[in-house]
């Protein structure tokens, strides 16, 4: 059509033109409304009979009622009744009003919480305690993470028998990965990317594998920590040499890749948990977390509830947002929440200054040594033209001012190893990395790209003073390798997230701490130990830190207990780990918190540091059933639809029954009194709170007597009865604890104590955390 005839035709139909323009504008306005992924919870009991029990058809029909074009990303069968789909906010709002819809929740983005250990935990003597039975190799640990590097020696399946008959999973093929990569140790590998790709676009397969393959390293590290085989001669550049092994060396491992370069999305996490339940895993390990939200809105909590009902223990990292209070993730009471402590191993690297003073730091640097002489030393803040030059961020250092020198960088904002890379790129020959107030004296070792060491805040302040007062400052760094037997150990890591529990203050979290600092475990062959693009080194094992590392320790230990006691529920296994945990060193001193240099509290370490050998024979356990958890939800005043979102069935709270969160049979006690100023009321009254508990005997017959430890007499703690006698296995006995305290202002210091039941052989301990809010 010519231009003139086109104009003529349009001029003949002005009305049509206006209508078309309006329709086009309307279409464009809809298209420009950004779609998001939503997870839709359905009330299966309300499915119309016309669908003949075909719930997928019902889901699709519900979706079509608000959108002709939307497609389901996943249909969930175990973790929820429902599906996920990409919708506009208006479509989501409309869908929520449809019959049979419990909730329409926007997808959340989760983040990763990023060989000495067996000896430190006493597992080097485990043959005496954990017999190498067939039951042990029947246990399957499912790990949700960044995937797996199947070539790692930690997945050697020598000596393992056939794959357990209970296993229903698969080894999926994809980019750089085939089904033949699995074996009798790594029995399953799947990947989940639909939620990720609908939000961030297709995966760039030139940069990461669209398959179970781990291009990051985090997933290989966590899965080998939990269930890696024995590997002799393991180390990172000669650091931490010895025999590497996971916690449960004969357990099987199944990997579910849910985390990608841009994060981990809840629709993918739910789909992986859904599959893992189908696959028949026994333990689920998730070293990831998101924001804090109510249990019925938290995808990990929702998936974990379904797993718990199937007898699967779910272990999650507490988070790396410590030492701030209220910094925890994954606080649902049916999840085992794990904080991080240190090992008795260190990697010292000393800073020697030109004034003759020496300061200790830590490093995993392995490469060409510094010249055998003192070198010029400069503070990064004085070698930069930008206000945050002290942080050694990319492009901020002036090469003329750092060339040939050791540079002092302050910690913060960018990655610790990246600071060293920036110094090296600017011509610096070494780096001293100093903590600021945010990190205090906590030292985390890194495999730096140039000679470098990390020092604490006080040391950093002293070094900075030297740099500003000396006209010709010099320094060098001396590397001392690996040292073991470091005391005190463990100490609570400063980064480990702390309580109180912001969702339910009456449930003490974290539950427990385990080794999470400078942990050696398997690594990917796709990136170097720093993860930096410019790091072309490749290692079979790496040393990294985080509650991501402590979580799979507990996952593996739970697998050991499951192998030894197949009949134990997830709650019984967690109870055994908690009530046998220790809170004091062998010399009697309390476990320290590195962030304060003072004794840690139950808000930091939960029940204490895990002791797997004691957990094997705990004497008594606090068991919890699904109905107990449902009663707990009633105590939280959840609506029927909120409970159904979690429980996937109708459950109505009994209006005539009085529910209390203090009745949940948890192995710890968090007591929250209402704060009330005596000056305001004119009198100092008191209030009482009663907790009910039930103990189940899992050991020999015996009589247990209670002991209460409290540092103050202002809170009266009464246990009734004070003696419990058990004559047979699985016998149950109840007791109550009443806490009576005066009304105090909310500025009152928290009170911490302990309740212990003992028959002379077993000690069943529970932490107490008492506060006024």
């Amino acid at each position: 059509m010519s231009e003139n005839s086109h104009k003529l035709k349009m001029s003949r139909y002005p009305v049509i033109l206006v209508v078309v323009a309006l329709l086009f504008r309307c279409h464009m306005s809809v298209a420009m409304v950004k779609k998001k992924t939503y997870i839709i919870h359905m009330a299966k009991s309300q499915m119309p009979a016309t669908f003949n029990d075909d719930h997928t058809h019902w889901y699709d029909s519900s979706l079509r009622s608000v959108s002709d074009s939307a497609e389901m990303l996943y249909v969930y069968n175990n973790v929820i009744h429902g599906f996920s789909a990409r919708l506009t906010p208006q479509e989501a709002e409309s869908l929520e009003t449809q019959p049979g819809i419990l909730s329409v929740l926007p997808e959340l983005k989760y983040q990763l919480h990023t060989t000495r250990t067996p000896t430190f935990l006493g597992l080097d003597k485990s043959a005496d305690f954990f017999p190498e039975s067939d039951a042990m190799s029947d246990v399957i640990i499912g790990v949700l993470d960044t995937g797996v590097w199947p070539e790692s020696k930690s997945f050697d399946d020598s000596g393992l028998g056939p794959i357990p008959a209970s296993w229903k999973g698969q080894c999926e093929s994809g980019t750089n990965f085939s089904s033949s990569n699995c074996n009798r140790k790594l029995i399953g590998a799947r990947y989940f990317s639909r939620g990720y790709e609908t939000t961030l676009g297709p995966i760039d397969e030139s940069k990461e594998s669209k398959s179970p393959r781990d291009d990051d390293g985090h997933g290989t590290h966590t899965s080998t920590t939990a269930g890696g085989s024995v590997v002799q001669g393991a180390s990172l550049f000669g650091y931490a040499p010895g025999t590497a092994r996971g916690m449960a060396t004969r357990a099987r491992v199944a990997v579910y890749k849910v985390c990608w370069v841009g994060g981990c999305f809840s629709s993918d996490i739910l789909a992986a948990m859904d599959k893992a339940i189908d696959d028949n895993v026994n333990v689920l390990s998730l070293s990831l977390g998101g924001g804090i939200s109510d249990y019925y809105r938290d995808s990990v909590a929702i998936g974990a509830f379904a797993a718990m009902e199937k007898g699967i223990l779910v272990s999650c990292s507490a988070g790396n947002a410590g030492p701030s209070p209220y910094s925890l993730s994954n606080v649902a009471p049916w999840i085992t929440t794990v904080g991080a402590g240190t090992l008795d191993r260190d990697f010292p690297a000393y800073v020697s200054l030109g004034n003759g003073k020496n300061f200790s730091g830590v490093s995993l640097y392995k490469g060409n040594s510094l010249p055998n002489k003192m070198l010029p030393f400069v503070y990064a803040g004085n070698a930069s033209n930008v206000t945050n030059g002290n942080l050694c961020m990319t492009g901020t250092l002036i090469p003329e001012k750092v060339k040939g020198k050791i540079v002092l960088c302050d910690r913060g904002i960018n990655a610790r190893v990246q600071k060293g890379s920036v110094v090296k790129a600017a011509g610096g020959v070494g780096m001293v990395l100093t903590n600021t107030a945010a990190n205090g004296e906590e030292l985390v070792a890194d495999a730096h790209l140039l000679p470098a060491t990390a020092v604490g805040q006080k040391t950093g302040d002293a070094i900075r003073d030297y740099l500003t007062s000396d006209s010709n400052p010099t320094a060098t760094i001396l590397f001392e390798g690996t040292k073991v037997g470091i005391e005190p150990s463990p100490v609570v890591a400063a980064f480990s997230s702390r309580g109180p529990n912001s969702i339910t203050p009456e449930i003490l979290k974290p539950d427990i701490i385990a080794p999470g600092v400078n942990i050696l475990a398997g690594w990917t062959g796709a990136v170097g130990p720093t993860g930096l693009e410019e790091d072309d080194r490749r290692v079979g094992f790496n040393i990294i830190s985080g509650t991501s590392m402590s979580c799979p320790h507990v996952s593996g230990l739970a697998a050991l207990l499951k192998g030894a006691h197949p009949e134990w529920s997830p709650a019984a296994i967690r109870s055994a780990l908690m009530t046998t945990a220790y809170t004091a060193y062998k010399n009697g001193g309390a476990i320290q918190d590195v962030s304060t240099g003072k004794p840690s509290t139950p808000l930091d370490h939960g029940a204490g540091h895990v002791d797997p050998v004691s957990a094997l024979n705990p004497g008594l356990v606090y068991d919890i059933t699904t109905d107990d958890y449902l009663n707990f939800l009633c105590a939280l005043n959840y609506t029927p639809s909120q409970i159904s979102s979690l429980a996937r069935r109708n459950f109505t709270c009994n209006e005539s029954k009085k529910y209390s969160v203090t009745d949940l049979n948890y192995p710890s006690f968090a007591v929250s009194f209402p704060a009330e100023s005596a000056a305001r009321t004119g009198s100092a009254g008191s209030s009482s709170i009663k907790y009910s508990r039930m103990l189940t005997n899992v050991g020999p017959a015996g009589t247990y007597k209670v002991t209460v430890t409290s540092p103050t007499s202002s809170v009266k703690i009464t246990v009734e009865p004070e003696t419990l006698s058990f004559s047979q296995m699985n016998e149950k006995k109840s007791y109550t604890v009443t806490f009576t305290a005066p009304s105090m202002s909310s500025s009152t210091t928290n009170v911490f104590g302990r309740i212990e039941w003992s028959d002379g052989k077993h000690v069943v301990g529970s932490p107490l955390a008492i506060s006024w809010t």
Side-chain angles (χ1 to χ4, degrees), residues 6 9 12 26 59 88 131 141 363 453 469 499 539 575 577 732 760:
H6 179 67
K9 190 165 187 176
R12 289 178 182 173
C26 178
Y59 299 165
T88 66
I141 305 170
S363 181
T453 186
S469 63
V539 296
S575 174
L577 291 167
K732 299 178 184 294

Side-chain angles (χ1 to χ4, degrees), residues 284-565:
L284 270 176
S285 187
L286 290 81
S287 290
L288 49 82
I292 295 294
S293 54
D294 285 308
Y295 306 132
Y296 62 87
R297 300 181 65 88
D298 181 342
S299 291
V300 170
I302 290 166
F305 193 96
M308 170 275 299
E309 283 197 278
K310 296 289 178 113
I312 302 166
L313 181 136
V314 181
S315 168
C316 293
S317 47
N320 298 337
S324 303
Y326 295 101
S327 53
L328 292 161
S329 298
N330 302 316
V331 297
W334 46 88
I335 288 173
T336 300
T337 312
V338 189
T342 63
L343 291 172
D344 62 342
R345 179 178 64 195
D346 216 343
F347 309 101
Y350 296 91
V351 184
S352 183
L353 301 180
N355 62 5
K357 292 185 178 179
N358 295 308
F359 296 97
S360 61
V362 296
S363 181
L364 295 168
Y365 171 74
K366 195 72 169 183
N368 294 329
S369 299
L370 290 169
N372 191 22
K373 63 178 182 179
M374 302 300 283
L375 296 167
F377 194 19
V378 64
Y379 179 43
N382 297 330
S384 173
N385 288 329
V386 298
T387 53
N388 62 352
N390 60 309
L391 296 175
C392 296
M393 297 174 73
T394 302
T396 61
L397 297 179
I398 301 170
E400 294 77 16
K401 293 191 176 184
V402 302
K403 188 175 181 181
K405 297 178 182 179
I406 295 174
V407 181
L408 178 71
C409 299
D410 288 338
R411 190 170 165 185
I413 307 297
N414 58 334
R416 301 182 301 270
V417 288
Q418 190 179 51
K419 295 175 189 289
S421 178
V422 170
V423 171
K424 186 177 182 181
V429 295
M431 176 182 70
V432 177
L433 176 63
T434 175
N435 284 354
T436 59
N439 307 103
E441 300 309 305
E442 176 171 74
L443 299 181
V444 178
D446 294 297
H448 295 284
L449 290 170
L450 82 172
T453 186
V455 300
Q457 180 195 2
K458 293 174 184 174
T459 293
D461 291 344
I463 294 175
R464 212 178 284 106
D465 289 344
Y466 165 69
L467 281 168
T468 55
S469 63
D470 195 296
S471 60
N472 185 31
T474 58
T476 190
I477 304 170
L478 306 169
F479 300 93
E480 295 290 315
T482 305
K483 302 288 183 187
V484 296
I486 303 297
E487 291 184 355
S489 62
V491 297
V492 178
F495 62 74
S496 187
S497 290
R498 317 300 172 97
N501 179 341
S502 58
I503 303 297
T504 316
E506 298 86 354
I507 302 297
L508 181 64
K509 292 281 183 172
D511 291 311
I512 205 164
I513 62 169
V517 179
N518 297 334
I519 304 301
L520 180 80
W523 195 245
T524 176
V527 296
T530 62
L532 295 175
E533 194 172 329
E534 60 267 35
D535 188 355
D536 58 6
R537 301 170 297 177
R538 294 295 180 264
V539 296
F541 291 85
N542 198 9
I543 296 173
I544 56 176
S545 302
T547 54
S548 279
M549 284 62 256
S550 54
C551 166
H553 277 88
V554 168
S555 308
L557 296 176
L560 282 180
L561 293 182
K562 184 70 176 177
H565 301 285

Side-chain angles (χ1 to χ4, degrees), residues 718-738:
T718 307
V719 180
E720 294 180 340
E722 296 181 351
T723 301
L724 296 174
S725 292
F726 297 89
S727 59
Q728 59 191 25
M729 182 74 81
N730 296 323
E731 189 177 357
K732 299 178 184 294
K733 291 288 176 75
S734 299
Y735 71 95
T736 61
V737 188
T738 303

Side-chain angles (χ1 to χ4, degrees), residues 603-623:
L603 295 178
D604 310 321
H605 61 233
H609 192 281
V610 66
D611 179 0
V613 174
S614 296
L616 189 67
N617 181 20
L620 308 173
V621 295
Y622 294 86
D623 209 352

